[in-house]
């Protein structure tokens, strides 16, 4: 079982479990079509966001591989909800995880998604003791690729037309980091 100490702190963010009061903050950007351009999801109605919050609120622990931990990202200085992120515990046997994130476009370009990604890597490597963590994204999402690169992950694969998403074939990039790479990065400060 793994339960982080909440909130998970970064220099400018507090990552915490979803809560019923998060509907307005999440709806502010989950309703925008551009936010979902490179995701499997679509722009959500308020009712869909309410249902998503009801489903995810209160989940604070990972008890076994195959589960996912959804967190919201609040600005530490104001408490404003600016994004959400997810940690997938993919395999206990192979010690693998995966990270993902979505941020309100009003807060893009500030390095906040990178802070969240680094915090998620820390949860996986330090909290769960994983060997390998990946990030998967649509190859056209260059901003997300930069987030993973700044977080220290390396491009490991470019899968050509491997998924049919929203009526078109899309390429997928796979970024990865190993525990030894995380440890070396932490040692360098």
């Amino acid at each position: 079982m793994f339960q982080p100490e909440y909130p998970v702190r970064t220099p400018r963010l507090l990552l915490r479990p979803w809560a019923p009061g998060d509907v307005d903050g999440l709806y502010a950007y989950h309703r925008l079509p551009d936010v979902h351009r490179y995701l499997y999801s679509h722009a959500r109605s308020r009712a869909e966001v309410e249902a998503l919050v009801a489903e995810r609120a209160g989940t604070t622990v990972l008890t076994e591989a195959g589960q996912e931990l959804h967190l919201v990202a609040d600005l530490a200085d104001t408490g404003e909800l600016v994004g959400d992120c997810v940690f997938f515990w993919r395999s206990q046997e192979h010690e693998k995880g995966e990270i993902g994130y979505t941020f309100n476009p009003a807060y893009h370009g500030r390095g906040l998604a990178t802070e969240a990604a680094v915090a998620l890597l820390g949860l996986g490597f330090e909290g769960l003791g994983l060997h390998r963590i990946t990030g998967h994204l649509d190859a056209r999402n260059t901003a997300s690729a930069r987030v993973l690169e700044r977080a220290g992950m390396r491009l490991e694969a470019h899968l050509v037309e491997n998924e049919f998403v929203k009526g078109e074939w899309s390429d997928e990039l796979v970024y990865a980091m190993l525990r030894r790479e995380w440890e070396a990065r932490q040692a360098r400060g």
Side-chain angles (χ1 to χ4, degrees), residues 120-163:
L120 293 172
L121 290 168
L123 292 178
F125 290 124
E126 297 171 14
L128 279 166
L130 298 182
H131 172 70
R132 172 185 171 80
I133 299 174
T134 59
H136 299 247
L137 59 128
D138 187 302
R140 298 169 294 181
N141 193 346
T142 56
S144 189
R146 286 192 305 272
V147 166
L148 296 179
E149 290 164 2
R150 284 192 305 267
M153 300 179 84
R154 64 188 147 64
L155 178 61
E156 196 165 78
H158 182 151
L159 307 173
V160 178
E161 295 184 9
N162 72 309
E163 292 189 325

Side-chain angles (χ1 to χ4, degrees), residues 15-16 18 29-30 39 55-56 59 62 66-73 83-90 97-103 113 116-121 123-124 133-136 148:
L15 305 182
R16 59 168 178 79
W18 290 41
Y29 62 97
H30 277 260
L39 302 175
E55 174 188 321
R56 294 179 177 170
T59 302
L62 294 171
Q67 295 179 332
E68 50 200 61
L69 185 61
H70 293 270
L71 304 173
V72 295
D84 60 274
C85 51
V86 60
F87 184 87
F88 301 95
W89 185 6
R90 294 292 187 203
E98 181 181 340
I99 63 170
Y101 42 83
T102 307
F103 273 72
V118 170
L120 293 172
L121 290 168
L123 292 178
I133 299 174
T134 59
H136 299 247
L148 296 179

